[in-house]
Amino acid sequence: MADGTPQWAVPPEQQQHRQQQAQQRPDYAAQRPPAAQAAPTAPPQAPPSGGAAVVSPPPSAGAPKVNKFNRIAQMEEKVLVTRTRDEETEDGRLVNKEAMTKIRDAWVYKRVRSRVREFTSYRQALCFVGTWNVNAKGKEESLDEWICADWGQNGQYAPDVVAVGFQEIVDLNAVNVAVDNKTQQRSQFWVERLNATLNSPSRTQNDPNRGYILMMQRSMVGLLICLFVKNPHRQRVKAVSADSVGVGVMGMMGNKGGVAIRLNFYDSTLCFVCAHMAAHRENVVGRNADFMNVLSKATFDVGEQTVRENIRNGSLSQWALGSGSLGIADHDMVFWLGDLNYRIDESLPTETVLLLAERGAIDKLRTLDQLNIERSEGRVFEGFEEGILSFVPTYKYQPGTDKFEQRPEKKLRAPAWCDRILWSAQEPAYVQQLTYKRSERPNCSDHKPVYSTLRFTVKDVNAQRRESIYKELFALLERYDNRSLPAISLDKSELNFGEVRYNQSVTLSLRIANTGPSCASYRFVPKIDESTLSKSWMSVFPTYGMLVPGEQPGVVTVTVTIDNNTAKLLNAGREVLKDTLILRLENGREYYVSIKGTFARSCFGMSLDQLVLYKDPIHTIALDAIQRAEQFPNENEVSPSNALCIPKELWRLVDAMYEKGLSTPDLFTNHGNPEEVVIIREALDSGSAFGVFSIHSYAEAFTSFLTSLSAPVIPTTVFPNTEINAENIQAMTRRLLEELPPIHYNVLVYIISFFREVLLHSEKNHLTAAKLAHICLKHCAPADVVMDSAMMQRRAGMSLILIHLLVTSSI
Amino acid sequence: MAQRVHHFKLVLLGDTAVGKSCLVVRFVRDEFFEFQEPTIGAAFLTQTVQLDESTVKFEIWDTAGQERYRSLAPMYYRGASAAVIVYDITNPDSFNGAKSWVKELQRRGDPNVVIALAGNKADLESRRKVEFEEANAYAEENGILHLETSAKNANNVKALFVEIAKKLPKNPPQPEREAFPIAAPQQTTNNCC
């Protein structure tokens, strides 16, 4: 044993075994409870040797016997009664989070309780319990014969815990019931007497480890309970608390009732109740009621910390959490002692009882004992055990004698076992009664003292190991929690669209597989503070879906489209083909899908001012502003020295049409071939030569080039503000040309000149000045979808100016 | 536990490859993978911490550290009660990154967010580039927790989350018995003798 281990009482079990075999120790032989007396099926193991006993594993009674008195067992039968905190989910299910938490907690604690042996070591200890109704008597009579009856010759069986209860330490008269002066005084007397007995030098031999210390006393009128522990255990006694419950006059006075002390002894919880219950032979019901009242009313305020600790040790139901108090039933072991006042059944005449008692015919009386009858009927002390009554009734004696009271001046009483000791243990095998006797001395009272020595199993918890078990259980639950989260996998975390061209759509797909244990509902979600899932140049389909486990992967397509608006932004460097899609797995994680691509730069969707800067094909011009700045240091200052007069692309298109023949019928009216238009655009961007294409394709490339410009050739700001008439048309035309920015002026003049050429072939191409003006306006000043009437007026004026330009030579 | 379970959202932030996911995996599953794949997205896990007085359940968002996803981080730290900002003690840039995360959180996160700075990879002492004292002084200046951790050998990982759990405000637990009244033991009428 480690140093400093308290000196433990040697449980006399080994001796018992020996004497059972050889009858060498009659003192215990006589006291061994008969087999019928709830002998544990698997008695606690004997200590390996003298001194401190560490027992492991603890006694096991096979399938644990559920003690109905056990609050843990009671709690497990509880129903989660309330519906008030139910919440209805959207699909109509009812969820009560609090109930779920409690059910889960119950699981955890149940598991912990089933594993207490892993974090608890067990020791055997001896407990002495004594009770005596002193009938307001008591002077200096020795208590040795009673208190120290079981100590053995050399005190080797001196108990570890001593609980002694007295009744009627004062007369139960009205004064004493109301004023407790006398009670205090007599309590002090008895405590001192006990102290002197337990710590008499002849017993301790001045060894402090053999001495006892009073942990707590509690009195109420005639009741007194005192609790001593052997000195070495003092450090392991915690949360000692007492309470008293009066159930006497008016159901509350202290002439009857109970006083109780509870403590944590090592990590076992013990409670001792000393009761004086209703008197008179016929009042069985009153006694039963007194028991229930004391049991249910006694409360020990030990604080939340102690309650929590007891719960974690497996001594108490988790249902008590949050409470700072304990009841009698909330203990590992409860010892109930006192003048319980149960008599011999009234069917037996007083004289017969007296005769049988005097003869020691206790077998006959025992069956008629009211407490035995009530217990067997389940009307009182449910869950408690009592040793067989193997001693003569303890009441009512002529004080100072060993004779039952029969003096003629006194009322004749039928002798009875008023004075009793019972116990209840959550784990029945943890308490074993070794003796249950009465003492012949002292005999100054009309009751004889009764005592019992019990061996009990003490729990000693290794808190660190205990916590690791809690941790393990929670980790297990956590694993399931995390495991039951849905999971999916994506075949890619990046979609690279490569080079994407003007007016082109590219589609890539993404496969989503359900790799989790449950249905996976997924959807694309916008980024924080955004309302769309992605940039405008991208679309996702479908944006949501669900997969059951094992289902074929879902396919999501992502399409990138460069329309003219996007091209304008990309060309201006105000947008890049980069984005992140966020795929949310509902009730799970989020997945990112990176989208990237490069814009194959096009002359379409650019501004005239930019286009005139670049003498080289547009594909060779960097999109990145910084790179471009290195390429074209004077980009921001367009001047004749560093710029073309008009975009070379415009010139190439016009040149091509000119060569193909402006006399082609329905020029600018027929559509071109879409594929040819794309190839023409590519040739413009790359600088490669045109192929052989229809003039209509060139015409369409020409008009769509103009339309795509990020700033129209003719900005609306230069539209005429006044109505055009024959007088002002000349001036208004001049004003327009003056107001146009230089490159725009060049371009418009170039287009007008070209269209004048076209008009020369009007007989064949069926075009008129009005038609061409309309085409010019449509593409050089694309109309907004919504226009007010003023704007329509101005456009009409603009059209007149264009006609004027086409039919006159006024440039 | 039957003590009220306090739920808190916690977010892990920090530069790429500092060990955010490893810390979480160590904390939640007590496992370690030498070659953890980069987190592309945000992983969600839960783990419970037992304190003496209460139980704290962390709902953990482990975010992507790559720079290109940085702009998405506010989705996770908004509304978070706690943030673990992780750097790699062998990588000074990651410590600078951590500082900028602290600033961002202080500016844009919840005003009461509990921030913990975690110097991860503390097992790689020989390659240390960020001194403990320097990081600690920085943490003190900013009033945030600081621990050096090793997801690899589990050092300080639990402690990190426990320290955070302790700092988080917990409302007083509601009386347990109110919710589920426990039937009183059967009462009998009082009798006096």
Side-chain angles (χ1 to χ4, degrees):
Chain A
M1 294 313 302
D3 287 342
T5 303
Q7 184 184 332
W8 289 80
V10 184
E13 187 178 56
Q14 284 173 317
Q15 283 75 19
Q16 281 176 26
H17 285 309
R18 210 176 299 136
Q19 62 53 205
Q20 268 181 320
Q21 292 153 12
Q23 296 292 315
Q24 285 171 335
R25 300 281 308 211
D27 52 342
Y28 279 107
Q31 293 148 13
R32 181 158 175 85
Q37 185 210 323
T41 49
Q45 289 182 2
S49 62
V54 176
V55 185
S56 184
S60 165
K65 182 175 142 196
V66 175
N67 183 344
K68 286 292 169 191
F69 181 62
N70 178 328
R71 189 145 143 196
I72 291 176
Q74 285 181 9
M75 292 306 171
E76 283 182 0
E77 289 171 7
K78 290 295 167 217
V79 178
L80 299 176
V81 286
T82 183
R83 294 179 71 102
T84 53
R85 299 195 183 192
D86 285 357
E87 284 168 26
E88 195 170 330
T89 60
E90 293 202 348
D91 57 3
R93 278 178 302 163
L94 291 175
V95 175
N96 189 316
K97 283 188 182 151
E98 199 157 347
M100 283 169 72
T101 306
K102 281 178 184 292
I103 291 166
R104 192 183 165 110
D105 284 350
W107 181 90
V108 170
Y109 283 101
K110 199 171 172 185
R111 286 292 185 95
V112 169
R113 279 197 294 274
S114 74
R115 295 177 64 178
V116 285
R117 284 160 203 195
E118 293 172 40
F119 59 80
T120 311
S121 47
Y122 298 85
R123 301 162 183 275
Q124 299 287 293
L126 288 178
C127 176
F128 173 88
V129 180
T131 177
W132 187 22
N133 184 325
V134 297
N135 195 23
K137 303 284 192 317
K139 292 205 171 63
E140 298 301 322
E141 298 91 346
S142 166
L143 305 178
D144 286 13
E145 207 176 303
W146 170 38
I147 299 296
C148 306
D150 290 338
W151 282 31
Q153 277 183 325
N154 306 312
Q156 68 270 43
Y157 309 132
D160 301 285
V161 177
V162 173
V164 181
F166 297 90
Q167 302 84 38
E168 292 192 52
I169 58 172
V170 295
D171 270 329
L172 301 181
N173 59 40
V175 173
N176 284 339
V177 168
V179 186
D180 79 339
N181 282 349
K182 188 90 183 282
T183 298
Q184 292 302 318
Q185 182 199 327
R186 293 305 290 166
S187 294
Q188 212 44 51
F189 169 79
W190 286 111
V191 167
E192 276 162 24
R193 299 280 300 118
L194 284 173
N195 204 9
T197 305
L198 292 167
N199 289 315
S200 86
S202 66
R203 294 190 185 282
T204 63
Q205 286 160 356
N206 293 323
D207 176 359
N209 280 338
R210 296 179 132 201
Y212 288 83
I213 179 158
L214 175 74
M215 297 311 303
M216 179 76 83
Q217 66 177 84
R218 182 73 168 214
S219 58
M220 179 183 69
V221 190
L223 281 163
L224 168 67
I225 186 165
C226 311
L227 178 79
F228 292 84
V229 301
K230 222 175 186 179
N231 275 332
H233 303 310
R234 186 184 174 178
Q235 299 307 319
R236 298 297 308 272
V237 173
K238 281 178 294 186
V240 187
S241 174
D243 193 25
S244 38
V245 177
V247 298
V249 180
M250 297 164 56
M252 53 169 283
M253 298 304 273
N255 59 321
K256 290 290 184 303
V259 287
I261 296 175
R262 63 87 50 208
L263 72 157
N264 276 25
F265 186 68
Y266 292 74
D267 295 301
S268 289
T269 56
L270 313 182
C271 183
F272 298 90
V273 184
C274 168
H276 191 187
M277 298 174 6
H280 305 304
R281 199 171 171 187
E282 68 283 3
N283 197 5
V284 175
V285 172
R287 290 186 271 280
N288 292 357
D290 286 354
F291 166 78
M292 273 316 298
N293 275 326
V294 172
L295 175 65
S296 60
K297 286 181 183 166
T299 309
F300 307 98
D301 294 317
V302 292
E304 280 187 45
Q305 184 68 41
T306 298
V307 170
R308 189 179 307 120
E309 194 70 10
N310 291 350
I311 291 168
R312 291 185 87 75
N313 287 341
S315 291
L316 190 59
S317 162
Q318 74 278 5
W319 294 84
L321 255 176
S323 159
S325 63
L326 295 171
I328 291 172
D330 298 332
H331 292 84
D332 288 333
M333 299 163 201
V334 179
F335 301 89
W336 197 293
L337 51 124
D339 180 356
L340 310 187
N341 253 328
Y342 287 94
R343 311 295 171 94
I344 302 300
D345 187 76
E346 288 175 278
S347 59
L348 216 56
T350 303
E351 291 75 9
T352 316
V353 176
L354 193 58
L355 198 68
L356 288 169
E358 281 184 318
R359 280 198 208 147
I362 54 179
D363 289 347
K364 167 84 178 163
L365 293 175
R366 201 191 285 134
T367 56
L368 292 167
D369 171 69
Q370 290 172 337
L371 180 55
N372 284 348
I373 294 166
E374 293 303 296
R375 282 185 58 219
S376 68
E377 297 292 325
R379 287 196 284 262
V380 77
F381 281 101
E382 206 183 343
F384 277 79
E385 296 181 58
E386 191 192 15
I388 292 275
L389 295 164
S390 55
F391 49 88
V392 175
T394 53
Y395 176 80
K396 175 182 187 179
Y397 279 87
Q398 186 180 330
T401 74
D402 296 327
K403 293 186 290 188
F404 286 109
E405 179 65 79
Q406 296 178 61
R407 286 174 289 176
E409 71 273 21
K410 300 277 181 181
K411 188 170 188 286
L412 190 67
R413 302 271 190 190
W417 284 291
C418 292
D419 309 286
R420 309 288 276 265
I421 295 168
L422 295 92
W423 74 93
S424 173
Q426 292 196 2
E427 192 76 52
Y430 282 12
V431 177
Q432 208 179 2
Q433 193 172 45
L434 303 176
T435 62
Y436 186 28
K437 295 179 80 178
R438 70 177 223 179
S439 179
E440 303 311 318
R441 294 289 181 278
N443 65 358
C444 54
S445 166
D446 56 354
H447 289 253
K448 299 289 181 195
V450 169
Y451 63 91
S452 174
T453 295
L454 304 108
R455 182 177 55 221
F456 66 106
T457 302
V458 179
K459 299 194 288 192
D460 192 356
V461 167
N462 179 325
Q464 207 178 335
R465 234 178 294 161
R466 178 191 73 191
E467 289 311 302
S468 75
I469 287 172
Y470 276 97
K471 191 184 150 195
E472 191 186 307
L473 290 170
F474 274 99
L476 177 75
L477 290 179
E478 209 65 57
R479 266 204 302 283
Y480 281 109
D481 277 1
N482 286 317
R483 217 180 273 165
S484 63
L485 291 175
I488 55 173
S489 71
L490 308 185
D491 64 342
K492 311 178 192 76
S493 63
E494 185 177 280
L495 292 177
N496 190 341
F497 286 82
E499 212 173 51
V500 190
R501 291 164 194 283
Y502 181 85
N503 223 1
Q504 193 188 12
S505 284
V506 181
T507 298
L508 293 177
S509 64
L510 188 65
R511 293 163 79 82
I512 301 172
N514 183 347
T515 54
S518 50
C519 283
S521 306
Y522 56 85
R523 64 187 173 106
F524 288 92
V525 293
K527 291 177 263 302
I528 197 162
D529 299 335
E530 289 184 11
S531 54
T532 55
L533 301 183
S534 64
K535 297 278 183 63
S536 58
W537 42 264
M538 175 170 42
S539 64
V540 179
F541 182 82
T543 58
Y544 63 88
M546 193 185 88
L547 294 167
V548 300
E551 192 177 342
Q552 283 293 308
V555 175
V556 171
T557 60
V558 181
T559 302
V560 170
T561 306
I562 310 295
D563 60 12
N564 196 53
N565 273 331
T566 306
K568 284 178 191 169
L569 294 170
L570 291 166
N571 278 325
R574 278 185 282 138
E575 179 62 297
V576 285
L577 293 184
K578 233 184 210 179
D579 197 8
T580 305
L581 287 172
I582 301 172
L583 179 65
R584 172 177 300 166
L585 179 56
E586 290 300 332
N587 196 26
R589 60 168 283 180
E590 294 189 348
Y591 299 80
Y592 297 160
V593 181
S594 292
I595 305 296
K596 63 183 198 185
T598 50
F599 175 48
R601 202 168 195 201
S602 173
C603 56
F604 281 57
M606 290 184 67
S607 72
L608 292 171
D609 290 352
Q610 270 183 309
L611 286 167
V612 295
L613 279 175
Y614 309 135
K615 298 181 179 80
D616 295 323
I618 204 76
H619 270 179
T620 66
I621 313 299
L623 253 179
D624 182 84
I626 296 166
Q627 286 177 31
R628 213 167 53 235
E630 286 165 4
Q631 234 176 329
F632 304 98
N634 303 317
E635 195 181 87
N636 294 326
E637 297 163 30
V638 179
S639 70
S641 63
N642 69 358
L644 303 165
C645 296
I646 59 163
K648 59 190 182 300
E649 291 82 5
L650 190 60
W651 178 85
R652 284 188 68 190
L653 288 169
V654 168
D655 192 51
M657 285 185 281
Y658 196 86
E659 285 196 353
K660 284 278 164 188
L662 300 180
S663 54
T664 309
D666 300 323
L667 187 62
F668 294 112
T669 310
N670 281 359
H671 281 290
N673 175 329
E675 283 167 23
E676 287 181 6
V677 174
V678 171
I679 298 168
I680 290 167
R681 189 171 65 225
E682 286 292 311
L684 287 173
D685 290 339
S686 64
S688 58
F690 293 140
V692 182
F693 300 130
S694 146
I695 190 171
H696 296 299
S697 296
Y698 288 108
E700 187 166 334
F702 169 77
T703 52
S704 58
F705 169 77
L706 291 174
T707 315
S708 81
L709 289 168
S710 62
V713 177
I714 308 169
T716 51
T717 49
V718 301
F719 285 5
N721 281 322
T722 50
E723 209 177 313
I724 302 294
N725 52 38
E727 281 86 57
N728 68 8
I729 191 156
Q730 198 80 33
M732 293 305 287
T733 304
R734 200 173 304 117
R735 212 191 104 205
L736 164 80
L737 295 172
E738 279 164 8
E739 283 182 2
L740 277 175
I743 305 296
H744 290 244
Y745 173 89
N746 291 352
V747 169
L748 183 63
V749 169
Y750 185 73
I751 293 167
I752 295 293
S753 307
F754 171 56
F755 280 3
R756 281 180 185 159
E757 284 291 323
V758 174
L759 272 179
L760 297 178
H761 303 270
S762 58
E763 276 179 26
K764 290 184 177 159
N765 62 24
H766 313 307
L767 286 164
T768 62
K771 269 189 191 171
L772 283 170
H774 174 75
I775 292 164
C776 184
L777 185 63
K778 184 175 166 192
H779 297 292
C780 291
D784 290 330
V785 179
V786 184
M787 276 187 296
D788 56 16
S789 56
M791 182 53 78
M792 286 168 77
Q793 287 263 316
R794 292 176 68 200
R795 279 187 77 83
M798 190 64 225
S799 190
L800 289 174
I801 290 173
L802 288 172
I803 294 169
H804 179 74
L805 281 169
L806 285 169
V807 297
T808 63
S809 52
S810 60
I811 296 175
Chain B
M1 310 285 303
Q3 299 110 300
R4 193 145 142 238
V5 179
H6 303 275
H7 291 247
F8 290 107
K9 179 178 164 187
L10 179 146
V11 61
L12 275 98
L13 300 168
D15 286 0
T16 187
V18 294
K20 293 180 294 297
S21 299
C22 286
L23 276 177
V24 178
V25 168
R26 173 62 81 187
F27 175 54
V28 172
R29 295 207 294 264
D30 204 17
E31 291 171 346
F32 178 76
F33 302 105
E34 193 75 53
F35 303 102
Q36 175 82 33
E37 288 188 8
T39 307
I40 298 170
F44 177 80
L45 289 161
T46 64
Q47 177 64 299
T48 307
V49 168
Q50 294 295 321
L51 299 180
D52 289 344
E53 302 295 322
S54 57
T55 301
V56 166
K57 180 157 184 163
F58 283 120
E59 291 155 355
I60 303 165
W61 281 101
D62 172 26
T63 64
Q66 290 169 24
E67 183 58 31
R68 59 171 154 170
Y69 301 125
R70 179 156 185 149
S71 62
L72 302 174
M75 288 194 291
Y76 308 103
Y77 69 65
R78 276 203 195 166
S81 308
V84 176
I85 294 173
V86 187
Y87 67 94
D88 169 359
I89 67 153
T90 70
N91 177 356
D93 288 344
S94 74
F95 181 57
N96 291 329
K99 287 179 179 173
S100 77
W101 279 113
V102 171
K103 275 199 205 95
E104 179 167 344
L105 263 189
Q106 286 170 339
R107 212 172 51 239
R108 298 173 62 192
D110 185 295
N112 297 318
V113 64
V114 173
I115 303 175
L117 185 63
N120 196 32
K121 307 196 189 176
D123 48 288
L124 301 176
E125 186 57 47
S126 60
R127 286 161 54 190
R128 175 189 287 277
K129 297 274 166 47
V130 182
E131 292 306 320
F132 177 82
E133 289 74 20
E134 183 192 353
N136 210 47
Y138 171 79
E140 273 182 28
E141 252 170 59
N142 285 275
I144 61 181
L145 290 167
H146 173 239
L147 270 90
E148 285 194 350
T149 56
S150 166
K152 188 170 183 175
N153 64 25
N155 259 359
N156 262 348
V157 176
K158 175 87 186 287
L160 172 72
F161 289 91
V162 169
E163 287 308 309
I164 294 168
K166 284 183 186 162
K167 275 191 83 172
L168 287 164
K170 292 153 209 88
N171 300 322
Q174 293 175 347
E176 295 288 335
R177 283 174 169 169
E178 243 173 51
F180 293 104
I182 288 160
Q186 147 198 6
Q187 296 275 343
T188 49
T189 50
N190 294 335
N191 282 276
C192 62
C193 66

